[in-house]
Amino acid sequence: MDFDLNEDQELLKKTAREFLTAECPSRLVREVEKGTGYSRELWEKMAGLGWVGLPVEEDLGGSGAGFLDMCLLVEEIGRALAPVPFISTALCEYALIDGGSAEQKKRLLPRMASGKLIMTPALNDATLSFHPGAIECGAAKKGGGYVIRGAKLLVPYGAIADAYLVATRTGGAGENGITLFIVDRNHKGISVSPVPTIACDARCHVQMESVEVGRESLLGREGDGWPLLKMLLRRGATLTSAEMIGGAQAVLERTVAYVKDRVQFERPVGSFQAVQHKCANMAGACDGARFVTYQAAWLLSENLPCDREVAIAKAWTSDAYTRVCLDSHQAHGAIGFTKEYDLQLYTRRAKAAELAYGDTRHHSEMLADLMGLGVSKSL
Amino acid sequence: MDLRFSPEEEAFRTELVEFLGAEVPPEMEADYDGLDLSPEQFEFAGAFDRKLAAKGWLCMHWPKEYGGQAASITRQVVFNEEMGYRRVPSRSSMGINIVGPAIMLYGNEEQKKRYLSAIARGDTEFCQGFSEPNSGSDLASLRTKAVEDGDSYIVNGQKIWSSRAHHASYCWLLARTDPEAPKHKGLTTFAVDMKTPGITVRPIVTVLGSTHFCEIFFDNARVPKDALVGEKNRGWYQAMGTLSFERSGIGRVASSRRALDDLIVYVKQTQRNGIPLSQDPIVRQQLAELQTEIEVARLLCYRVAWMQSKGKVPSYESSMARVFGQELSQKVMRVGMKILGLAGQLLHGVPGAPVNGNVTRGFLSTISNTIRSGTSEIQRNIIAQRGLALPRR
């Protein structure tokens, strides 16, 4: 048993921490919130460092790093609240690596690895559920290709992404008949409308009116998209957990620093047990989240079975991050609920991350199934 | 990073699980906290400790020269995890975890000879004489006195919360030998024969109705000087620095996992309102939440064990694992009782009691889990002050 990161991983974390501390101050996070929700400059710099290409093999312009390495980097992104479509693009890269044709990989992965092509998953239909049965957006054969009709909601970075990975239904029900397509944002028939969200993170509704695509847009086999999508959801839940543990740790550290400094009744408020115990609870939430997340990330890296551990990681971390933020507000007193103070930047993103790729309830339901309680009739 | 146990450790787990499967009949399995043993289970525990000793497993963490196997911390994790999961009744943890290691470090040759092999064989049992009515979390304030008198010490005072003192052969006593010194500096350790005249033991009946904890009264008990272990007035420091053994609390987490597995069986077999309880969305959410928290607890314990195995001394990390595991053990029972509904009030041994009344017993026995051996409040102080460097005042 070994909980240690290796030297390269420690170095990656350190480099990312230093880079993001310098390049992604909260001033940038705040500026970006007023605009597109995304910093192109920061994205290009990160791509320049080779980070966007981490999952991609060397021949196609990447560095073929392990999934755990990705999670470590994303942890730092979560700590810095970096407004970049990193998780979205990485998930699409992985989906292409898993299920893309040689032609698709060659055409798309080098541009993605260099940061020039941003791709984002467009998964959610009207019910906003991450269960396979919720995919309704239809795709029908037409000529040599397909015509897609429907709407995808709350698409991350929907307005700035160059392409979408769209989950559609070509027939069947539940896990059967799901088909994935890669569709350009500027394709005829697509209209994008940004929606204001709690984290100001550039989510959009994407309307597709008779979007005609060729066979080269199909990712994997028709009707057999669920295994690819399931893998994307596992990685999405784990990367989002990694983002959350970075944010939660930053909030804990900020809180501890504040209560050491803030004096009332001639003593630091952090010397009161009521405050200390709150901080101890936050530390437990953070450490627990880190280990369950690393466990899931490590299993994914090693291609070991991980459904149970991924569900546990996202179920725990989703609750833990929001709880840490809310405890931090209480420990900060009034200053913590102002817009001027940075804590609110974390609290709003904690809630968004909690909901992304399945919230605690969703993953608990998955876990109940894995625990042998049978598949719920409510699904 | 590699979160697996080694192939050798997994092979040991398999061997142990098979051994426990063959040697521990279901009716001998203890309650989840091992605090409510029947006389038959108590007898079985003594005999079973000797079987474990014969396998070399009872004190596997001891050095080989004292009858141990110098087992690694991770191997001990495997052992404690499986013993906790199978709810194996046990009698000798005080001797093997506290007394033996302290005697190895601080005892003289005569004491090593007298106690160590007896403990290692499972033949002698110690109880702890630390806590007093007015010295709980603030243990160093204890007032039981040991006064030199010729070739003896005369001991007067009262100890409390001593596990199974009514069955123990010896008491591992911490007493004040220098009332003038600062409170940590006047304490001395003794191995006291429980048959010494002047010692009276009174079992305490708990909310569970069981007699696990005892009071011990010392009324001019004359203890020979050779019962003193280590250095006079160094007892506090000796108690703090004993041999490293696996102390993450993984056994308790495994016991919680067992309780969850028992509840899973129950909800699959039980119909309510026309559907199996396992199809009730609230029950599913509750059990999944327990499963998630048990996994968090398990990893927090593994972290402590991993630090120990690397030669690091866990500090706030053990407190974090303990407070989490202790509170979780209560939550499992609380949630379990809600799921059992009206039938949850049926006591252990009553025909028709769900999960054999074990959740009901656990609901009562786990009350003490956040209190004994360091309250949750003290653990949180340690996390805040040692882990987060928050000021004491």
Side-chain angles (χ1 to χ4, degrees):
Chain A
M1 192 187 311
D2 182 9
F3 278 70
D4 266 335
L5 302 175
N6 65 32
E7 265 177 46
D8 290 347
Q9 289 164 339
E10 293 285 4
L11 184 65
L12 176 66
K13 251 180 99 94
K14 184 166 168 284
T15 314
R17 173 84 53 100
E18 286 166 4
F19 170 82
L20 288 166
T21 304
E23 300 290 339
C24 186
S26 67
R27 181 178 38 77
L28 176 72
V29 178
R30 287 167 180 274
E31 271 169 28
V32 161
E33 279 197 354
K34 293 186 210 129
T36 59
Y38 149 76
S39 166
R40 175 165 286 278
E41 197 187 343
L42 183 63
W43 174 252
E44 283 171 357
K45 281 183 191 166
M46 289 174 69
L49 289 163
W51 290 343
V52 183
L54 275 178
V56 177
E57 62 182 281
E58 286 179 31
D59 288 354
L60 294 172
S63 53
F67 186 72
L68 179 57
D69 297 35
M70 283 296 283
C71 287
L72 298 173
L73 188 53
V74 168
E75 188 179 340
E76 295 305 320
I77 287 174
R79 183 184 177 91
L81 307 172
V84 286
F86 192 85
I87 293 179
S88 291
T89 299
L91 290 174
C92 295
E93 286 174 340
Y94 280 119
L96 269 159
I97 293 163
D98 288 350
S101 67
E103 182 278 322
Q104 284 171 328
K105 289 183 190 178
K106 221 172 127 192
R107 173 161 51 90
L108 299 169
L109 283 174
R111 286 162 61 212
M112 292 173 81
S114 64
K116 294 196 174 62
L117 191 150
I118 294 171
M119 199 186 294
T120 190
L123 307 180
N124 290 122
D125 291 75
T127 65
L128 299 176
S129 158
F130 285 94
H131 290 292
I135 292 170
E136 294 164 354
C137 177
K141 272 215 166 81
K142 185 181 178 192
Y146 298 84
V147 53
I148 306 171
R149 289 191 182 88
K152 287 292 174 183
L153 308 182
L154 292 170
V155 177
Y157 298 98
I160 59 100
D162 302 294
Y164 306 124
L165 195 163
V166 186
T168 71
R169 185 166 293 287
T170 43
E175 298 174 4
N176 299 314
I178 292 171
T179 304
L180 305 181
F181 291 98
I182 293 167
V183 185
D184 281 352
R185 170 169 51 98
N186 294 324
H187 202 290
K188 187 165 171 283
I190 287 187
S191 55
V192 182
S193 40
V195 275
T197 50
I198 190 167
C200 303
D201 55 352
R203 289 188 176 249
C204 296
H205 291 338
V206 176
Q207 190 70 37
M208 290 174 286
E209 308 263 5
S210 299
V211 173
E212 294 187 23
V213 295
R215 280 200 67 83
E216 74 286 354
S217 296
L218 178 67
L219 180 68
R221 286 199 304 272
E222 182 191 315
D224 196 23
W226 174 241
L228 281 175
L229 182 55
K230 189 174 182 188
M231 197 65 206
L232 184 150
L233 292 172
R234 283 188 194 110
R235 291 198 181 100
T238 309
L239 286 170
T240 305
S241 296
E243 180 190 8
M244 291 192 284
I245 61 177
Q249 185 68 30
V251 170
L252 170 64
E253 289 169 18
R254 173 181 291 271
T255 310
V256 168
Y258 181 81
V259 300
K260 275 184 193 169
D261 190 52
R262 167 78 175 167
V263 172
Q264 288 287 280
F265 306 104
E266 292 89 42
R267 54 195 278 198
V269 295
S271 67
F272 292 111
Q273 287 196 347
V275 175
Q276 291 192 347
H277 290 187
K278 198 177 283 300
C279 292
N281 290 344
M282 293 165 71
C286 286
D287 281 9
R290 183 165 330 105
F291 297 131
V292 288
T293 299
Y294 282 0
Q295 173 172 257
W298 171 74
L299 289 168
L300 273 161
S301 272
E302 301 288 317
N303 291 317
L304 293 167
C306 62
D307 283 348
R308 184 180 160 279
E309 289 77 7
V310 169
I312 285 171
K314 187 63 169 61
W316 172 260
T317 308
S318 293
D319 265 356
Y321 189 11
T322 297
R323 205 165 62 231
V324 164
C325 288
L326 295 178
D327 276 349
S328 176
H329 279 290
Q330 186 63 26
H332 271 88
I335 189 69
F337 63 67
T338 62
K339 184 119 190 186
E340 185 190 358
Y341 197 76
D342 281 347
L343 180 57
Q344 52 93 3
L345 298 172
Y346 288 91
T347 308
R348 289 184 292 111
R349 279 164 185 76
K351 187 41 96 172
E354 176 188 330
L355 305 176
Y357 298 103
D359 58 7
T360 299
R361 201 188 156 112
H362 171 89
H363 285 284
S364 293
E365 181 49 46
M366 308 262 284
L367 190 54
D369 184 8
L370 294 164
M371 287 160 67
L373 296 176
V375 177
S376 169
K377 289 192 180 118
S378 63
L379 293 178
Chain B
M1 183 172 297
D2 186 341
L3 301 180
R4 280 170 294 202
F5 287 88
S6 71
E8 294 75 29
E9 287 154 358
E10 287 299 349
F12 171 60
R13 190 190 294 278
T14 306
E15 185 188 356
L16 177 60
V17 167
E18 282 171 8
F19 175 77
L20 297 178
E23 298 286 343
V24 184
E27 68 273 16
M28 288 301 157
E29 284 188 337
D31 57 302
Y32 296 120
D33 287 287
L35 295 181
D36 191 24
L37 303 188
S38 67
E40 297 75 29
Q41 286 173 322
F42 190 77
E43 275 309 304
F44 175 84
F48 195 73
D49 280 346
R50 285 187 286 279
K51 277 190 191 172
L52 289 174
K55 283 272 195 187
W57 291 344
L58 186 66
C59 54
M60 60 163 68
H61 54 294
W62 285 18
K64 289 184 176 151
E65 55 179 310
Y66 298 120
Q69 297 184 327
S72 68
I73 294 286
T74 33
R75 195 175 167 94
Q76 294 173 53
V77 167
V78 172
F79 183 76
N80 293 338
E81 205 166 27
E82 295 307 328
M83 293 284 283
Y85 188 83
R86 266 313 300 277
R87 312 196 320 245
V88 180
S90 170
R91 279 164 62 164
S92 50
S93 66
M94 182 68 202
I96 58 179
N97 287 336
I98 307 287
V99 178
I103 288 176
M104 287 174 216
L105 278 178
Y106 305 109
N108 58 36
E109 285 313 308
E110 152 63 20
Q111 288 165 338
K112 288 179 187 172
K113 220 176 289 167
R114 191 188 315 163
Y115 298 115
L116 290 181
S117 64
I119 294 172
R121 287 194 308 269
D123 280 346
T124 195
E125 283 164 51
F126 275 80
C127 63
Q128 192 174 47
F130 282 15
S131 293
E132 295 183 5
N134 292 312
S135 302
S137 295
D138 179 15
L139 179 63
S141 70
L142 64 85
R143 289 192 297 201
T144 294
K145 278 187 308 189
V147 180
E148 272 192 81
D149 181 44
D151 59 357
S152 309
Y153 282 88
I154 308 294
V155 180
N156 278 291
Q158 182 189 353
K159 293 293 177 179
I160 196 168
W161 312 125
S162 179
S163 292
R164 297 201 188 105
H166 52 325
H167 295 293
S169 316
Y170 296 94
C171 176
W172 189 242
L173 175 73
L174 200 56
R176 189 161 301 282
T177 39
D178 184 354
E180 306 302 321
K183 62 181 183 176
H184 295 90
K185 295 185 173 169
L187 303 175
T188 301
T189 314
F190 297 90
V192 178
D193 189 333
M194 289 297 281
K195 292 193 293 294
T196 309
I199 294 182
T200 317
V201 176
R202 193 165 74 191
I204 298 166
V205 183
T206 65
V207 59
L208 184 60
S210 74
T211 50
H212 177 90
F213 303 104
C214 299
E215 289 176 289
I216 311 174
F217 299 91
F218 295 87
D219 181 13
N220 286 318
R222 182 172 285 274
V223 174
K225 275 191 173 166
D226 66 8
L228 192 158
V229 178
E231 226 177 296
K232 190 179 174 185
N233 296 329
R234 293 287 300 166
W236 179 262
Y237 304 95
Q238 290 175 193
M240 295 296 112
T242 49
L243 190 85
S244 158
F245 66 94
E246 195 283 300
R247 59 173 91 201
S248 67
I250 190 68
R252 175 168 292 147
V253 175
S255 168
S256 291
R257 185 160 55 84
R258 172 61 185 274
L260 173 62
D261 287 351
D262 291 347
L263 283 167
I264 289 173
V265 171
Y266 172 80
V267 300
K268 285 162 81 171
Q269 290 172 347
T270 307
Q271 296 266 329
R272 200 173 290 162
N273 304 324
I275 56 163
L277 271 178
S278 59
Q279 286 294 316
D280 179 324
I282 293 172
V283 168
R284 293 166 70 84
Q285 287 286 317
Q286 286 174 321
L287 294 182
E289 183 175 326
L290 292 180
Q291 177 80 73
T292 296
E293 294 185 15
I294 286 169
E295 189 73 6
V296 171
R298 195 173 68 90
L299 289 169
L300 288 175
C301 289
Y302 284 2
R303 187 242 312 244
V304 171
W306 165 73
M307 288 180 74
Q308 284 186 283
S309 71
K310 303 244 314 182
K312 295 179 186 166
V313 180
S315 139
Y316 78 92
E317 294 90 348
S318 356
S319 292
M320 193 181 274
R322 279 165 76 174
V323 74
F324 198 91
Q326 288 164 343
E327 293 184 351
L328 177 58
S329 72
Q330 295 175 338
K331 182 171 174 177
V332 171
M333 299 308 154
R334 223 162 47 229
V335 170
M337 285 297 272
K338 287 192 181 182
I339 291 174
L340 300 187
L342 201 57
Q345 64 194 307
L346 294 174
L347 290 175
H348 170 67
V350 176
V355 199
N356 197 21
N358 280 327
V359 174
T360 315
R361 284 203 284 181
F363 176 70
L364 295 175
S365 70
T366 52
I367 293 172
S368 70
N369 285 3
T370 47
I371 296 163
R372 55 197 167 108
S373 69
T375 63
S376 297
E377 287 74 18
I378 292 289
Q379 308 290 356
R380 285 195 169 84
N381 288 352
I382 293 172
I383 298 168
Q385 291 164 14
R386 289 195 210 152
L388 303 173
L390 289 174
R392 288 174 72 93
R393 53 179 55 84

